[in-house]
Amino acid sequence: MTPSEPCFRGRRLRNTVGLRDMVREIRLERQDLVQPYFVVEDDPEARREIASMPGQFQLGREALLRELEQPVRQGLRAIVLFGVPEHKDEQASGASHPRGVIQEAVQRIKRAYPELMVITDVCLCEYTSHGHCGLVENGLVQNDPTLDRLADTALSHVQAGADMVAPSDMMDGRVAAIRSRLDAHGFVQEPILSYAVKYASAFYGPFRDAAQSAPEFGDRRTYQMDPGNKREALREARADVAEGADMLMVKPAQPYLDVLQALRERLDCPLAAYQVSGEYSMLKASERMGWLDGTQVALESLTGIKRAGADIILSYYTTELLPLL
Ligand code: PBG
């Protein structure tokens, strides 16, 4: 007797009760996901929905503590924090202030939820008056002078209790600068998640509304990566590993799954992917129009990102999907 067509084998597995789930290769789990939050400084009780990101809020530090209650109960493992300070200046002084918006929020969150992993985004763009990720002189972002400010900022975050710092500025040499600053102060255990492969992307649009961090002049193409480049991603990634990054991130996620897969195949460190604001907004907008099943496309997108090689995924969908995982 000849065996039946091979295609029937897959079908038999899918159609047998329970077997489909048992043989599934990629399973999205709660511990894969990290929820981003925007913390505002002006009003501790603020809870302002972000117009272009339905379901996401700018939260004051007290409002955030309350907001976390339910997701933590539902199994939320990790969050990443972005600060929206009241005052901005040329030096981004708010970024590293011991009583700055992030430092205060981290202290409170770790006191209330010691088991929740708190990651902090380390960048200057939310704190500079011009909105660039580094210090600016004569209209140009200055790489080396920025490193010191980033290291100050990262140190202030771990001093406040952050479990991991995530530099997203894309200055060259910042992982090494942050690592040596943390080590010098005895924070040898705190890992660095480097946004190693961050493209100059139009998908960050809604985030810049949420974080009030759109650059006042020019754009970020001098320090963020060209969407046409993939080999460069490997160079950036290897450089950050050599500088001491514990984990690397690719961002955005969905338009760059090939890059994520290439890194997965060539590197052996853990990888993160950021499903960014624009990716979220697109799906939410379609859901609102009744054009797509929001929950299903969210699960499918995140499964795809994991399948391409992400160990953890930063996603605005995290808290919404927790009860389903
Ligand atoms: C800060 C930063 C940005 C994002 C994360 N960190 C914005 C940017 O580089 O312009 C984008 C995240 C998102 O779009 O959800 N540099």
Side-chain angles (χ1 to χ4, degrees):
M1 208 173 80
T2 52
S4 54
E5 290 297 313
C7 66
F8 276 104
R9 287 182 210 148
R11 208 164 290 180
R12 276 196 289 265
L13 294 177
R14 282 193 289 279
N15 292 344
T16 304
V17 174
L19 205 47
R20 177 191 352 213
D21 290 340
M22 293 172 75
V23 299
R24 180 172 299 139
E25 296 167 37
I26 291 295
R27 213 178 296 273
L28 201 59
E29 293 171 292
R30 287 180 191 157
Q31 67 252 31
D32 301 332
L33 300 178
V34 180
Q35 173 72 38
Y37 285 105
F38 299 97
V39 196
V40 294
E41 193 171 28
D42 57 348
D43 172 8
E45 301 292 338
R47 189 172 188 272
R48 301 191 279 261
E49 189 163 24
I50 300 155
S52 51
M53 300 176 73
Q56 304 301 311
F57 297 83
Q58 286 187 330
L59 296 161
R61 52 176 194 265
E62 299 303 329
L64 174 55
L65 285 182
R66 281 195 301 279
E67 192 82 10
L68 284 168
E69 257 170 48
Q70 185 181 338
V72 166
R73 219 180 317 114
Q74 291 173 335
L76 178 66
R77 292 293 184 88
I79 62 175
V80 59
L81 296 181
F82 297 93
V84 187
E86 249 197 302
H87 304 289
K88 305 183 184 220
D89 58 34
E90 295 266 308
Q91 301 299 311
S93 12
S96 58
H97 198 284
R99 310 221 31 209
V101 54
I102 287 298
Q103 293 80 357
E104 292 271 356
V106 171
Q107 274 176 26
R108 283 178 166 72
I109 294 167
K110 289 305 293 184
R111 209 176 304 139
Y113 306 101
E115 299 302 317
L116 182 66
M117 176 165 74
V118 177
I119 306 168
T120 53
D121 185 85
V122 174
C123 193
L124 302 187
C125 64
E126 297 102 329
Y127 303 89
T128 48
S129 38
H130 44 70
H132 277 289
C133 302
L135 303 177
V136 169
E137 236 169 86
N138 304 323
L140 283 177
V141 174
Q142 306 292 310
N143 192 87
D144 291 6
T146 301
L147 300 181
D148 214 39
R149 295 292 302 123
L150 293 166
D152 293 343
T153 303
L155 177 63
S156 72
H157 290 179
V158 299
Q159 282 172 334
D163 298 295
M164 177 153 76
V165 288
S168 70
D169 51 279
M170 287 300 275
M171 299 300 128
D172 291 329
R174 91 273 204 210
V175 175
I178 291 172
R179 186 71 270 160
S180 67
R181 184 71 59 90
L182 297 186
D183 290 353
H185 286 79
F187 294 104
V188 294
Q189 290 291 338
E190 281 67 14
I192 299 176
L193 163 59
S194 172
Y195 288 67
V197 181
K198 177 173 176 183
Y199 286 92
S201 172
F203 284 98
Y204 306 149
F207 173 95
R208 291 177 189 172
D209 294 338
Q212 291 155 15
S213 67
E216 228 167 45
F217 61 88
D219 54 43
R220 302 207 205 289
R221 278 185 287 190
T222 59
Y223 44 100
Q224 297 183 350
M225 285 178 53
D226 183 336
N229 292 358
K230 180 168 171 180
R231 291 191 299 266
E232 187 189 4
L234 281 158
R235 286 206 303 280
E236 289 279 1
R238 290 200 176 106
D240 281 8
V241 171
E243 287 182 30
D246 300 277
M247 204 172 192
L248 304 179
M249 193 187 317
V250 174
K251 170 184 172 192
Q254 201 149 317
Y256 299 94
L257 293 182
D258 60 323
V259 177
L260 183 58
Q261 183 173 16
L263 293 190
R264 178 67 299 148
E265 284 164 0
R266 290 173 178 79
L267 300 174
D268 51 18
C269 63
L271 294 176
Y274 199 144
Q275 183 190 47
V276 300
S277 55
E279 297 177 71
Y280 174 82
S281 301
M282 269 191 318
L283 300 184
K284 277 286 166 193
S286 300
E287 178 183 358
R288 291 210 154 177
M289 294 297 287
W291 291 343
L292 287 174
D293 178 330
T295 306
Q296 291 310 317
V297 290
L299 287 169
E300 189 176 331
S301 298
L302 293 170
T303 301
I305 295 166
K306 183 168 180 182
R307 198 182 58 239
D311 298 292
I312 68 172
I313 306 170
L314 286 72
S315 169
Y316 300 97
Y317 273 109
T318 298
T319 52
E320 182 181 330
L321 297 181
L322 278 179
L324 304 176
L325 302 176

